[in-house]
Amino acid sequence: MLRAGEAALWRAHHHPSAREPDMTLAKPSLHATASAAWHALAPEAVLERVHSRAEGLSDQEARQRLEQHGPNILKRERQNGPWRVLFRQINNPLIWVLLGSAVLAVALGKVTDGLVVLAVVVLNTLIGFIQEFRAGQAIEALARMVPETVTALREGAKVSLAAEQLVPGDVVELTSGDKVPADMRLIAARNLQVEEAALTGESVPVRKQLPPVAEDASLGDRTNLTFGGTLVTSGTGRAVVVATGDTTELGRISRMLGEATDMQTPMTKALATIGRYLTVAILVMSVVLLGVGLLRGYVISEALLVAITLAVAAIPEGLPAIVTIALAIGVQRMAARQAVIRKLPAVETLGSTTVICSDKTGTLTRNEMTVQALWTPEGSWSVSGVGYAVQGELQREGQTVGELPRTAAELLRAGVLCNDASLQSQEGKGAITGDPTEGALLVVAEKAGLRVGELRDRFARVDAIPFESENQFMATLNEEGEGQRSIFLKGALEVVLKRCQSEGAAPEAVLAEMDRMAGKGLRVLAVASKSVSGASSGLKPEDVEGGFTLLGLQGMIDPPREEVIAAVRACHEAGIAVKMITGDHQKTAESIGHQLGLAEGKVVTGQELARLDDAQLREVAASSHVFARVAPEHKLRLVKALQAQHHVVAMTGDGVNDAPALKQANIGVAMGITGTAVSKESADIVLTDDNFTTIVSAVEEGRRVYDNLVKSLAFVLPTNLGLALILAFSVAFFPIQELAGGGLAPLMPMLPVQFLWINLVATVALALPLAFEAKEPHLMQRPPRAPSEPVLSRFVVGRTAVAALVMAAGAIGLFTWEFRTETDRVGAEEAMREAQTMAVTTVILFQIFYLLMCRSLHGSLFRLGLFSNPIVFLGIGLLLLLQLGFIYLPFMQKLFGTAPLGWAEWGLSALVAAVILPVIGAEKAWRNRRAASAS
Ligand code: ATP
């Protein structure tokens, strides 16, 4: 999606003098019309020019045009195309420093050193490139998991199509909540408002109308056109497609700007900043080391080499790739668990979620509505049978009802007529299309012996006011025959009762019945009607303001999803509060809340919320868990109130009016099946199964991703610091020796080229596997991470210091001991080679042991299952193989100055390296004890 700034840029490009040249690249037939000023033509003229009709194209025509014009998709310039990704890898200060070092080393005659540094650069760039490229593709692929569909007319029949299939000339229906699929000229509109921020940057919806406008009207003033990529915020309309795919206005902008999939998250940004500081700090340290070396009398080339080595060894060049991989794995695993990430930062934020605010219907419940109770002033009935199968019957006090009482018949008939759903039943199985609440009304009518089709034919609909969450009612105007018409009204009881005459049923009796039904967790719809004279042709708002007679109540059950009860419990264990937010009645909400385990606190209604000031609201938002009769605008206030208390809020929503709350929430969650396009566009994640449990899975994945990032940091940083410590310590304190070619240099526990070797092989083979680590056993029994926790947390810093010291002390100590004892036996030169090889081996083995310890942040490795992450062992195996080559292959011995080791030396190296095991074990025990005493 384009941001405001980009839209401004686009407007600058579209100055009248900068007309698009390709608009005149006219191909025959329809292409010739691509430049037409559609907005200046009447609807009929537009239909004619695109060779279409008000009832739409035929399938045959559509197929031909699809071949001619291609699918309705934007061929965007790929921000994540291979060259750009490669450029991003190279365009990185860490890499420049490394490249500079390589050149310098070669210039100093240290060709091997230079080549190893170059290998480090190439390897890291390659891994970074492959991973980021794949991650980018995976994220782009996600968009395809939430398909866009449109309702089009083909030869007069409404069909549901993939937006891709649209061609110029297609006639499309628009309703509030839709995303406009292509550039279109309106041919009918009713209160149609469209938000065109995607094109113009202007987020106030534009009212759309039919009359032609001046030919030179600016884009924003072409009020009879709707543009692809914009959003219908209210009303309905019908329009004919005039441009698809890249020829749309949006297509032209995208071609100019390309679309960026934002690969940045708070963590990657923080790491990039840390990386920059670290690079500067390391460069300064390198210069200091150069100075120290020179002061101690080094030859300049040797002093420069240690400085270069420090820079290369201390920079954690592998980190960016690790972070990208961990995030990409998270995105893919979430998608596999039905949560499609739309904005990458959500992967991280999910892990720190503290409150989940969820809709009830369909998310916490199954959205399989079945009417179970009927009430009219004449009496009440229960209905047997569940689901959409029309088997079942009306009962009264346990007895089957033979003939349908008149009032019940009227109640049921009104429910069928004031209804947009349809019912298909075959072989005892039923299915509905449309709103499940309305589907239930059809099923119960059939059970009682009424025929939906017949009723709808006999009492044809003249007009309707569709259901909207804010209004909580729907009304229709139907023929009654003989010049008589009726208005039927159904909706929430309060809303309907307000519009009824006082005579008829005593409100007390109605309210008592309502309480009884709602107390059982039933959703209750009230149904009313009034007669009007035949002259009225349409429904105006004032027609439904009053004068109705209450026909009765229908109570329907919508059972909680079985798995949600466990998921709510899991949230509570994980320190995450769950709040149910529903448009339903207080009593219904309370009962369902109880069944789901959201019992604490009082049920708060939207009306009560509206009366609270911000401070009171904060208190109520924290202490209550069930919110009933809530309108979309209350949701926004609730999110803000929770955020004011430093909560990280995930909020679900499906309607157009939920968009502001979804945007405000830290994690906006849209519904893949029932959600409107508008809500999906505003969301950070989309649930492809509409299920609450999926949010909890996503939170779990989010926590795992963050854990793995922390593990990777805690593994990588000590290696870099440890190597830097060894180098700095030896330059500063080790004895100076005479070089064969003249001049002075230090005795070093490892040669510069050996440092580089460790850097080359270990980061790649060992750090990456941690990104694949499975979740830890108590992942969802921990409280959420504080969002303010810095990336370099106390834990990471402390661990880095401890592990680096152990590693440096071990390598330096072992080298010194081995060098001393062996010099007498084999002479200084031979002893040095052997001791250095042992020091390198110790560091490598240290890393292997330390890696195993890093697999779990808190617990012991054995609780995780030693072999639960095979990739770790793949990495270890690869590393050992390389190390064997390093020690035993003659050409490697020559390149890296190594000597073959015997069993005793291997054993000793392993023993020293293994010191890290009890050290980290003790550190974990200490941290766990502190955490336990803190809680
Ligand atoms: P939740 O917020 O739990 O997901 P919801 O969004 O389905 O529930 P709404 O659809 O806003 O809640 O419904 C609120 C109230 O409006 C319902 O309790 C019911 O009384 C009434 N209502 C729901 N659907 C219809 C409909 N199709 N026609 C008329 N009234 C309806």
Side-chain angles (χ1 to χ4, degrees):
M1 198 38 52
L2 286 149
R3 262 156 252 112
E6 293 167 350
L9 190 68
W10 174 83
R11 263 176 264 127
H13 272 276
H14 269 63
H15 195 267
S17 64
R19 280 261 157 199
E20 286 266 297
D22 64 350
M23 290 173 71
T24 53
L25 271 182
K27 275 203 202 151
S29 83
L30 279 170
H31 278 279
T33 58
S35 61
W38 304 108
H39 51 281
L41 298 176
E44 302 72 36
V46 174
L47 280 170
E48 202 184 305
R49 286 190 65 171
V50 295
H51 308 288
S52 185
R53 303 162 297 280
E55 64 273 17
L57 302 172
S58 69
D59 282 337
Q60 167 80 18
E61 283 171 307
R63 220 171 307 125
Q64 272 171 5
R65 291 189 191 190
L66 191 61
E67 245 162 61
Q68 190 185 348
H69 294 268
N72 177 32
I73 43 176
L74 298 180
K75 287 187 222 57
R76 295 189 154 130
E77 192 190 332
R78 296 269 304 282
Q79 191 78 18
N80 291 316
W83 291 112
R84 285 190 186 235
V85 175
L86 189 63
F87 176 73
R88 277 208 292 273
Q89 297 303 315
I90 298 169
N91 184 15
N92 174 344
L94 302 184
I95 298 292
W96 301 339
V97 173
L98 293 182
L99 277 177
S101 308
V103 172
L104 197 58
V106 173
L108 290 170
K110 308 282 181 187
V111 180
T112 315
D113 300 70
L115 287 181
V116 176
V117 176
L118 204 65
V120 172
V121 177
V122 171
L123 202 63
N124 273 296
T125 312
L126 207 67
I127 291 178
F129 168 75
I130 294 171
Q131 290 305 334
E132 195 171 327
F133 186 62
R134 281 182 40 195
Q137 297 218 306
I139 287 171
E140 278 174 16
L142 291 180
R144 291 193 287 276
M145 279 188 70
V146 186
E148 283 175 29
T149 54
V150 295
T151 308
L153 287 183
R154 292 266 166 98
E155 287 175 327
K158 278 191 202 178
V159 289
S160 181
L161 295 178
E164 271 183 47
Q165 303 275 315
L166 281 186
V167 292
D170 258 325
V171 175
V172 174
E173 302 255 318
L174 293 172
T175 40
S176 98
D178 286 353
K179 183 168 171 182
V180 177
D183 286 1
M184 309 195 282
R185 168 65 161 97
L186 286 169
I187 54 179
R190 184 168 176 166
N191 298 329
L192 190 66
Q193 298 208 20
V194 179
E195 191 233 88
E196 300 187 329
L199 272 188
T200 60
E202 173 59 61
S203 62
V204 179
V206 182
R207 175 159 224 111
K208 294 290 177 182
Q209 281 150 344
L210 294 186
V213 296
E215 203 174 324
D216 60 355
S218 72
L219 205 65
D221 294 331
R222 299 181 186 175
T223 47
N224 53 33
L225 300 184
T226 57
F227 300 103
T230 60
L231 300 168
V232 181
T233 54
S234 63
T236 54
R238 185 174 282 193
V240 55
V241 174
V242 295
T244 59
D246 284 333
T247 58
T248 61
E249 295 293 339
L250 188 67
R252 289 197 244 154
I253 311 176
S254 316
R255 216 164 33 200
M256 263 183 281
L257 298 170
E259 195 196 29
T261 324
D262 196 355
M263 300 291 292
Q264 295 289 316
T265 74
M267 175 103 162
T268 59
K269 283 184 201 150
L271 279 178
T273 314
I274 293 169
R276 274 197 295 278
Y277 284 124
L278 212 57
T279 306
V280 173
I282 290 167
L283 287 179
V284 171
M285 270 173 58
S286 295
V287 173
V288 172
L289 205 64
L290 179 69
V292 173
L294 291 176
L295 277 178
R296 294 197 71 195
Y298 284 29
V299 205
I300 180 129
S301 66
E302 287 296 326
L304 272 171
L305 186 63
V306 288
I308 291 172
T309 306
L310 179 76
V312 178
I315 290 178
E317 57 276 330
L319 262 190
I322 295 170
V323 175
T324 312
I325 295 166
L327 290 172
I329 294 172
V331 167
Q332 275 166 335
R333 292 187 50 136
M334 286 179 191
R337 298 177 78 174
Q338 321 298 338
V340 176
I341 297 290
R342 291 193 69 250
K343 294 169 191 160
L344 194 60
V347 180
E348 265 172 55
T349 320
L350 272 165
S352 55
T353 304
T354 60
V355 183
I356 303 175
C357 297
S358 175
D359 284 339
K360 173 175 72 68
T361 308
T363 314
L364 296 171
T365 65
R366 291 194 218 149
N367 209 8
E368 287 165 11
M369 303 270 179
T370 315
V371 173
Q372 288 205 320
L374 297 176
W375 177 92
T376 73
E378 193 182 339
S380 56
W381 297 269
S382 63
V383 186
S384 65
V386 287
Y388 299 128
V390 296
Q391 275 98 24
E393 55 186 17
L394 254 59
Q395 295 173 339
R396 186 165 201 167
E397 285 152 13
Q399 300 292 309
T400 304
V401 175
E403 194 169 335
L404 195 62
R406 186 188 55 84
T407 54
E410 269 182 20
L411 172 65
L412 293 171
R413 182 181 70 127
V416 169
L417 297 176
C418 187
N419 193 317
D420 284 326
S422 58
L423 179 69
Q424 300 85 37
S425 73
Q426 307 148 337
E427 292 154 23
K429 281 218 192 87
I432 59 137
T433 41
D435 182 350
T437 302
E438 300 191 340
L441 302 180
L442 303 184
V443 173
V444 69
E446 290 273 345
K447 281 180 184 169
L450 300 180
R451 294 290 154 256
V452 170
E454 272 171 36
L455 288 178
R456 287 181 168 175
D457 287 342
R458 236 175 79 204
F459 307 102
R461 182 186 292 186
V462 184
D463 199 5
I465 298 177
F467 172 76
E468 294 206 31
S469 275
E470 297 87 296
N471 300 336
Q472 298 195 334
F473 73 80
M474 167 177 178
T476 58
L477 176 66
N478 295 69
E479 302 280 5
E480 286 277 18
E482 291 147 33
Q484 269 311 107
R485 286 178 172 179
S486 287
I487 301 178
F488 295 103
L489 176 73
K490 77 173 200 301
L493 180 70
E494 313 88 285
V495 175
V496 172
L497 218 49
K498 221 167 52 196
R499 292 166 167 77
C500 287
Q501 293 151 332
S502 50
E503 67 255 44
E508 296 75 48
V510 184
L511 292 177
E513 183 59 27
M514 167 83 204
D515 272 1
R516 213 175 59 76
M517 286 189 189
K520 288 195 278 188
L522 301 186
R523 159 174 279 203
V524 182
L525 280 189
V527 185
S529 71
K530 79 173 175 187
S531 298
V532 287
S533 68
S536 61
S537 58
L539 267 184
K540 290 181 285 304
E542 54 271 26
D543 296 335
V544 293
E545 261 162 26
F548 284 89
T549 307
L550 184 72
L551 297 174
L553 305 178
Q554 301 205 25
M556 54 188 80
I557 187 172
D558 177 19
R561 290 176 185 260
E562 212 54 66
E563 65 278 18
V564 165
I565 299 171
V568 168
R569 206 174 319 122
C571 283
H572 289 159
E573 270 180 25
I576 300 169
V578 178
K579 317 239 170 214
M580 177 170 106
I581 298 184
T582 173
D584 248 327
H585 187 268
Q586 192 170 350
K587 276 271 168 62
T588 312
E590 186 171 10
S591 167
I592 299 281
H594 201 83
Q595 293 174 41
L596 292 173
L598 300 174
E600 310 155 53
K602 108 180 201 15
V603 180
V604 183
T605 65
Q607 267 183 343
E608 287 164 344
L609 287 182
R611 279 199 301 269
L612 302 176
D613 66 26
D614 287 349
Q616 291 166 319
L617 181 67
R618 281 205 285 278
E619 206 164 290
V620 169
S623 62
S624 290
H625 294 92
V626 177
F627 299 85
R629 286 290 189 238
V630 171
E633 75 263 20
H634 301 139
K635 283 188 173 181
L636 181 63
R637 280 192 73 207
L638 266 177
V639 174
K640 287 185 174 164
L642 289 166
Q643 286 173 333
Q645 295 168 307
H646 309 291
H647 276 297
V648 177
V649 185
M651 165 74 89
T652 70
D654 47 14
V656 193
N657 305 312
D658 290 333
L662 292 181
K663 281 188 193 148
Q664 175 70 33
N666 304 75
I667 304 281
V669 185
M671 302 296 142
I673 304 169
T674 56
T676 54
V678 170
S679 61
K680 289 177 200 167
E681 295 277 313
S682 320
D684 300 287
I685 69 174
V686 178
L687 309 181
T688 54
D689 61 356
D690 288 13
N691 192 332
F692 176 80
T693 319
T694 302
I695 310 176
V696 185
S697 313
V699 168
E700 186 181 270
E701 285 299 328
R703 287 187 174 194
R704 192 183 66 91
V705 168
Y706 199 87
D707 265 11
N708 289 353
L709 287 175
V710 172
K711 288 174 193 177
S712 305
L713 273 178
F715 175 75
V716 170
L717 294 181
T719 311
N720 293 105
L721 181 62
L723 291 178
L725 283 178
I726 298 173
L727 197 66
F729 185 84
S730 41
V731 172
F733 302 111
F734 264 51
I736 305 290
Q737 54 179 1
E738 203 129 346
L739 290 173
L744 297 175
L747 177 69
M748 300 248 283
M750 299 189 283
L751 297 173
V753 74
Q754 292 171 342
F755 278 94
L756 299 173
W757 163 258
I758 294 170
N759 208 30
L760 175 66
V761 295
T763 38
V764 177
L766 293 188
L768 280 183
L770 284 177
F772 293 87
E773 212 42 71
K775 70 172 175 124
E776 294 209 24
H778 296 292
L779 186 70
M780 289 300 271
Q781 272 109 50
R782 299 199 305 244
R785 156 177 66 92
S788 57
E789 185 183 293
V791 177
L792 292 185
S793 59
R794 281 243 287 280
F795 159 69
V796 172
V797 173
R799 172 61 82 71
T800 301
V802 170
L805 280 174
V806 172
M807 172 173 137
I812 293 172
L814 183 63
F815 169 81
T816 312
W817 187 81
E818 180 73 12
F819 181 62
R820 290 240 176 97
T821 47
E822 287 296 283
T823 305
D824 300 339
R825 224 166 51 84
V826 294
E829 184 145 343
E830 196 45 40
M832 188 178 79
R833 280 169 77 93
E834 210 175 284
Q836 283 174 335
T837 309
M838 272 176 81
V840 175
T841 307
T842 304
V843 170
I844 296 278
L845 293 176
F846 168 91
Q847 288 195 302
I848 290 173
F849 288 134
Y850 182 53
L851 176 72
L852 295 177
M853 294 306 276
C854 281
R855 290 191 48 209
S856 167
L857 285 176
H858 306 275
S860 112
L861 170 62
F862 296 101
R863 264 223 311 243
L864 273 187
L866 183 59
F867 298 109
S868 57
N869 181 358
I871 300 179
V872 164
F873 291 93
L874 210 69
I876 292 177
L878 183 69
L879 184 64
L880 284 176
L881 213 62
L882 287 167
Q883 186 62 14
L884 287 178
F886 177 79
I887 298 177
Y888 296 108
L889 290 179
F891 85 93
M892 295 283 263
Q893 291 173 350
K894 246 218 229 53
L895 270 181
F896 290 98
T898 51
L901 299 182
W903 286 113
E905 281 93 8
W906 271 97
L908 201 58
S909 296
L911 205 65
V912 172
V915 170
I916 193 66
L917 299 175
V919 171
I920 299 298
E923 183 249 23
K924 281 185 191 174
W926 177 74
R927 268 191 302 123
N928 288 340
R929 195 131 33 86
R930 246 181 33 148
S933 65
S935 65

